[in-house]
Amino acid sequence: MAGGKDGSAAGGALAGVVKTAWSTGAKGEGKDGDEVGVQDATFVTSGKRWKDSVSRLSKVNYLGELSKEASRKEYVRSLIKRANHGTAQRPASKASRMLRFTPSNLYFLLLEKNWWFTCFLTAMGYAVPVCIFALISMPLDLENGTEESELELRGETPAKVLVAFRFASANIIGMGYGTVVPITDVGFFIAVLSQSLGILINVFVFSAVLAKFQSPRADIIFSDKVCFFTRDGVRHLCLRLGNLRCHTLYNPSLRLFVLKEKETSEGESFIQIKELEVEEPGTVSGFYNITHKIDEESLLFELRESQMRSRDQILALQVIFTALDPVYQAEVCAKHIYETSQFAFGKRFADMMHVDTGSGRSNLDFTMFEETWDAPEYFEEEEQIFILSELQMENDPNPPPKISDKIGLLVGFGRSSYGDPTLDGDLPKAGLRPECAFALSLAMALLESGGEYETFVTDMGGKASWHAEVNPKLETPSLRLANSEEWNHGTDDIFEMLAKGQLSEFAKRTEPPAGIKPETSLWEFHMVVFAMCMVMAKEDLGMRKFLFAKFGCEEGWPPSRCESHLRGHLGESLSRWEDALTARDYLCGDEPGLLDCRVATKMYLSYQLIECGLANLGAPFKQVAPRSFDYLDRFSKRDSWKHAFGPGRGLGTGRLDVCTIRTVCNKFAMLCPHSIETHILPALEKARRKKVVQKKSAKERRNSTFSAALCL
C-alpha cells in the first residue's frame, strides 16, 4: 500500500469509508469489546499507527459491523478496494516501477543496459530537442555568419530550415551561439532557453556516462551444462564459472539452489527454493568448477536421472555468485538458471589448464570451457563392484553334477585387463565380468521373463579346466535345465528349447507386432562388424576369407573398397532398426520381448567395436543410428541388464565398455599381430582414455601364445 506523507492519503481514504459506515449508525466491537467508529477513522487519518488501525478495522465489514462469514484477509482486501475507488488521492498499491516512466527508472536502465542502449538514449536526448527547437526557430530572424563565404564558395546560401537546425544544434549541444545568432528579443529568449536545456542534457549525459564507467560489471560466464559424475566413489554435481578478465576476485560467495514445486496439505502451491551445499574457494581468477557432493545429506541423494529430469522433482537450478573486485573496489554479482534439459549425466568438464612444455608455465585455455569428457556415474549399490573391483579373479570350480532346482548357465567372462605387458602395460590383472554376448542374451531372456538361473564362470581368455567336460568345443553358452544333469549347447538350439518350455509364456506375451519379422538374422549385424574389423587382417587368414565371402567381398579388393562395401551392409541393417523403432521403444513394443533379448547384446557388442575404432562406420554410432543408440541406452538401464552384465555397464555410464573391447582384442591380437600398434592399441587407449606403455615389443608378442575365444 502507498499513501501521501505519513500515509495520510490512503489513511484518509480508509477513514472516508469508516465515516460513511459510521453515519449509517452501524457499530462494532473489537476483541476486547471496544467500540470501533469515528475515533478509528481519525486514528487512520493521522497515519501514525497504520498497521494497528488496519488490524482493528479488519474486525468490521464494509458496514462497520463484525464480519462473521468473510475471513480477515477477504475483508481487508474489500476495504482497500473501496478506498481505492473512493476519495483516495493515489491508489493503495503501486504498479511495478517498470510500467511507468520516472527519472530513477531511466537512471536504472542506463546502468543495467549495455552501451548501445546508452548511446541510443544519448542520441535521442540530443536529436529530439534539436528538432523541436529547430522548428520553433524557423519563423525567427536569424543571422548566418558564414553566409557570404558559402555564397562565394558554393554559389548559394543554405535554406532557412538548415539555418534553424544550425541555430538549435549550436545552442543545445554547444551551449552557446554558433555561426547563427538571433537578432530579435524573441530569438534571444529562444536561444537562452535552448542553451539552458543544453546544459541540463550535457550534465545528464556526462553523469550517466561517468556512472556507467564507474559501475562495476562482472565479466562472469557460466557453463551451458550441469554435469553429473562420480568422483572418489561419491556422485557429484558440477557446473563451471568463468571470469573473462582473469584477474583475482576476493571473498567469493557461491550459492546453489534447487527450485521445485511444493503443494501443502491445504492445497497451496508455490515454488520452493532449497539451498545445496557447495565448496567455496578463497579466490577466483580464471575459472572455478562449482561442485555439490550428492551424499546422504544432499537433497538429490535419492533422485536418479529420470527423476531429476522430471518437473515434479526439479524445476531448475539457480547459482548466485558474488565477490569483491579489487579493481572496482566494489562487489560484483552474477547469477544463472539451469533447466533440467541442461543436465548432462555421465559427463565431467575437461581440463582448462595446460602446461607449456617449453617454458613450463601454466596456460588457461578458454576454448575448453564448455568441453566435457565421458565420466562414469553410478550409485551406491554399484560402488562395491564398480569401484573397489571386488570381482571374482579365477574360474569357478567344476559345476556340481547334482541336480539343482535352478537353471544352470555357463557364461564366458572377460577382463578389462589381463596384465599382458603389450596390451595392458602396467595395468594389473582385473577381475572377471560377464562378457559372452550369446550367453548374456539367454540371461536377459530368463531375467525379463521373471526366471532365475545360476551362473558358472569360465574365463574367455583362459578357459576353466572343466570347460571341455561341459562343452567339448569349448564354446559358450551352455545351459542345464532345472532338475537335470544334461548340458545343452548352441544358442539357437537353447532358445528353441526354452521357447517351448520355460519361456513359452514370455514369448507369447511379447510377440513382435505386425511388420516386425521375428527372424534374428534380420536384426543381428555383429558379423558385419567383425568382418569390418578383419579388414586389417592379412588376406590369407581363414576367418577373414570366411567373413568376406559371407558378405560378398571379392578377393583382390583393396581394404578401402572392402570397408566401404561392408559399411553398406551395416547401413542396411541399421536402417531396418531405425525404421522398426520409429513408433516403439523396443522391437516387441513398450517392453522388451524375446526377440529383443536375443539381439540387443549383439548390438551392444557391435556398438563397442565401432566406437573404439576397431570397425569403421564412418561416423559415430549415435549420429548414424540415433534410435538404435537410444534403444541400447534404454535397455541398459533395466534391472535385467544390470543383473546380467553387472553394475556400471551400459551406455548410461558415458564410457566405453573396456571389458568387452579388451576381451575381443585378445582374439584380434592373435589373428592380426601386425596390427597391434596400428589398430588394437589405439582402440584400447580410446576405451581406457589412457595410453598403454608397452613392456614387450610387437615381435615378442607374436612369438608368445595367448588363449582367447571369440563367439561368432
Side-chain angles (χ1 to χ4, degrees):
M1 292 182 289
K5 188 175 182 180
D6 296 329
S8 59
L14 288 172
V17 175
V18 178
K19 288 177 181 178
T20 303
W22 186 260
S23 64
T24 61
K27 296 182 180 180
E29 293 184 354
K31 183 176 181 180
D32 298 323
D34 300 334
E35 270 195 353
V36 181
V38 178
Q39 68 272 23
D40 291 313
T42 307
F43 189 46
V44 174
T45 304
S46 67
K48 294 181 179 179
R49 286 185 260 176
W50 171 264
K51 292 183 179 179
D52 292 341
S53 301
V54 173
S55 177
R56 298 186 69 189
L57 286 170
S58 66
K59 299 172 185 175
V60 297
N61 59 20
Y62 68 94
L63 294 177
E65 299 173 344
L66 285 172
S67 175
K68 298 180 180 180
E69 297 181 358
S71 67
R72 181 175 182 272
K73 288 184 179 180
E74 291 172 343
Y75 170 70
V76 174
R77 288 176 185 151
S78 65
L79 193 63
I80 293 175
K81 184 177 181 181
R82 286 177 59 83
N84 290 342
H85 289 83
T87 59
Q89 296 179 1
R90 66 177 66 180
S93 61
K94 292 182 180 179
S96 169
R97 292 182 180 273
M98 300 306 296
L99 299 181
R100 57 195 184 90
F101 177 80
T102 64
S104 61
N105 287 357
L106 186 61
Y107 181 73
F108 173 81
L109 289 175
L110 281 172
L111 295 182
E112 183 190 41
K113 300 296 183 179
N114 54 31
W115 277 100
W116 288 109
F117 178 82
T118 303
C119 294
F120 171 77
L121 197 63
T122 301
M124 294 301 296
Y126 283 115
V128 173
V130 167
C131 292
I132 294 175
F133 274 90
L135 294 175
I136 295 174
S137 302
M138 286 186 64
L140 301 177
D141 292 330
L142 302 173
E143 181 179 344
N144 182 11
T146 61
E147 183 175 0
E148 294 182 359
S149 300
E150 290 175 324
L151 183 62
E152 181 179 350
L153 294 175
R154 298 190 304 180
E156 59 181 359
T157 58
K160 191 171 185 179
V161 63
L162 184 57
V163 173
F165 268 97
R166 290 181 182 180
F167 174 73
S169 300
N171 284 283
I172 292 176
I173 300 176
M175 298 179 294
Y177 300 124
T179 59
V180 180
V181 295
I183 57 176
T184 62
D185 292 339
V186 176
F188 276 104
F189 174 76
I190 298 297
V192 171
L193 188 62
S194 60
Q195 290 171 13
S196 301
L197 179 61
I199 293 173
L200 293 176
I201 295 175
N202 285 325
V203 169
F204 176 80
V205 170
F206 175 78
S207 302
V209 172
L210 184 63
K212 194 165 183 63
F213 269 117
Q214 292 179 337
S215 175
R217 181 179 294 273
D219 244 343
I220 301 297
I221 58 174
F222 294 90
S223 59
D224 289 335
K225 299 290 184 182
V226 178
C227 294
F228 291 84
F229 60 95
T230 298
R231 174 189 292 169
D232 293 332
V234 181
R235 293 166 58 221
H236 279 69
L237 172 157
C238 181
L239 57 99
R240 179 169 277 176
L241 174 148
N243 176 20
L244 295 180
R245 294 195 179 103
C246 292
H247 67 308
T248 302
L249 300 175
Y250 294 91
N251 298 329
S253 172
L254 293 167
R255 303 189 69 184
L256 182 63
F257 301 90
V258 58
L259 282 63
K260 58 188 304 183
E261 289 185 357
K262 175 72 174 179
E263 184 172 351
T264 65
S265 57
E266 294 81 9
E268 178 189 8
S269 296
F270 59 92
I271 303 300
Q272 188 179 46
I273 303 177
K274 290 193 173 183
E275 187 168 2
L276 301 176
E277 183 178 354
V278 297
E279 297 180 359
E280 294 186 352
T283 60
V284 171
S285 52
F287 75 98
Y288 182 73
N289 290 340
I290 304 172
T291 57
H292 166 68
K293 186 182 295 185
I294 309 179
D295 54 15
E296 294 181 356
E297 303 297 326
S298 171
L299 299 173
L300 309 179
F301 182 69
E302 299 294 337
L303 302 182
R304 298 302 189 255
E305 177 180 348
S306 58
Q307 295 170 312
M308 286 189 182
R309 295 192 185 278
S310 172
R311 293 183 61 86
D312 294 334
Q313 297 289 344
I314 296 178
L315 286 178
L317 291 177
Q318 182 185 58
V319 58
I320 300 175
F321 171 76
T322 59
L324 177 65
D325 191 319
V327 178
Y328 286 117
Q329 289 295 312
E331 191 175 63
V332 292
C333 309
K335 76 174 182 68
H336 192 74
I337 293 180
Y338 293 92
E339 298 180 352
T340 55
S341 59
Q342 295 174 278
F343 292 174
F345 294 88
K347 298 285 186 181
R348 69 177 179 86
F349 289 108
D351 295 333
M352 292 178 61
M353 297 294 297
H354 300 281
V355 178
D356 190 340
T357 55
S359 62
R361 296 181 59 184
S362 297
N363 297 322
L364 188 61
D365 185 4
F366 258 93
T367 62
M368 302 291 289
F369 185 80
E370 298 288 354
E371 191 74 19
T372 58
W373 291 341
D374 293 335
E377 185 198 16
Y378 63 93
F379 301 96
E380 312 62 50
E381 62 271 15
E382 301 171 351
E383 178 177 355
Q384 184 177 9
I385 294 179
F386 190 58
I387 291 298
L388 302 182
S389 298
E390 294 182 359
L391 302 172
Q392 182 174 331
M393 296 299 297
E394 304 298 335
N395 293 317
D396 275 347
N398 195 346
K402 66 178 183 179
I403 296 176
S404 173
D405 58 354
K406 287 186 179 180
I407 292 177
L409 184 62
L410 176 62
V411 179
F413 276 56
R415 305 177 191 265
S416 60
S417 169
Y418 282 89
D420 176 65
T422 302
L423 299 185
D424 302 317
D426 294 329
L427 296 176
K429 191 175 183 179
L432 292 165
R433 308 204 71 177
E435 185 48 50
C436 175
F438 297 86
L440 289 172
S441 65
L442 282 169
M444 294 283 291
L446 292 170
L447 292 168
E448 284 289 342
S449 65
E452 295 182 353
Y453 66 92
E454 56 181 337
T455 303
F456 298 102
V457 177
T458 181
D459 186 357
M460 295 176 68
K463 301 295 180 62
S465 58
W466 48 262
H467 194 153
E469 299 176 9
V470 174
N471 189 326
K473 295 183 178 180
L474 291 176
E475 295 176 346
T476 56
S478 293
L479 181 138
R480 185 176 65 184
L481 294 174
N483 303 316
S484 174
E485 297 182 1
E486 181 183 359
W487 287 93
N488 301 275
H489 315 298
T491 309
D492 292 337
D493 294 337
I494 295 174
F495 265 114
E496 185 177 349
M497 176 187 65
L498 293 177
K500 297 177 181 178
Q502 285 81 353
L503 299 181
S504 58
E505 292 299 324
F506 175 64
K508 293 177 183 178
R509 188 176 73 249
T510 61
E511 187 175 344
I516 301 297
K517 297 182 179 180
E519 292 85 353
T520 56
S521 59
L522 296 175
W523 310 103
E524 295 175 337
F525 51 80
H526 61 287
M527 295 287 283
V528 184
V529 175
F530 287 148
M532 296 179 73
C533 295
M534 286 292 104
V535 170
M536 62 185 174
K538 294 183 178 180
E539 294 183 1
D540 58 351
L541 188 66
M543 180 68 70
R544 185 180 190 271
K545 290 182 178 180
F546 167 75
L547 291 173
F548 277 24
K550 180 178 179 64
F551 296 106
C553 291
E554 299 181 7
E555 294 186 9
W557 279 6
S560 58
R561 184 173 180 183
C562 293
E563 194 174 71
S564 177
H565 179 78
L566 293 171
R567 195 179 295 140
H569 278 279
L570 184 56
E572 292 177 5
S573 298
L574 289 174
S575 296
R576 188 181 301 114
W577 273 92
E578 293 295 291
D579 293 340
L581 296 173
T582 302
R584 59 182 65 87
D585 290 340
Y586 300 92
L587 293 179
C588 295
D590 296 333
E591 297 290 332
L594 187 61
L595 179 60
D596 293 283
C597 295
R598 295 193 65 175
V599 299
T601 57
K602 286 93 165 180
M603 176 188 277
Y604 179 73
L605 172 61
S606 302
Y607 167 79
Q608 299 297 333
L609 297 181
I610 291 171
E611 289 301 294
C612 74
L614 287 175
N616 184 11
L617 184 58
F621 185 92
K622 185 177 181 179
Q623 180 179 334
V624 176
R627 295 193 186 99
S628 301
F629 178 88
D630 292 339
Y631 168 87
L632 277 180
D633 185 33
R634 192 180 304 115
F635 212 150
S636 66
K637 293 176 181 176
R638 296 182 66 85
D639 292 337
S640 59
W641 185 287
K642 293 182 179 180
H643 185 92
F645 278 83
R649 299 174 74 183
L651 275 65
T653 64
R655 298 186 64 174
L656 294 179
D657 192 335
V658 183
C659 182
T660 296
I661 296 170
R662 178 63 180 87
T663 304
V664 174
C665 284
N666 276 348
K667 185 66 174 179
F668 288 159
M670 293 177 57
L671 297 175
C672 317
H674 62 281
S675 63
I676 290 178
E677 288 84 358
T678 57
H679 293 84
I680 297 175
L681 283 179
L684 286 171
E685 289 169 5
K686 183 176 181 180
R688 291 169 172 154
R689 295 187 297 178
K690 176 181 179 181
K691 188 173 181 61
V692 174
V693 180
Q694 297 187 54
K695 297 300 181 181
K696 271 188 181 181
S697 66
K699 184 177 181 180
E700 291 173 323
R701 169 69 188 185
R702 297 185 197 108
N703 295 331
S704 64
T705 58
F706 194 81
S707 174
L710 180 64
C711 296
L712 297 177

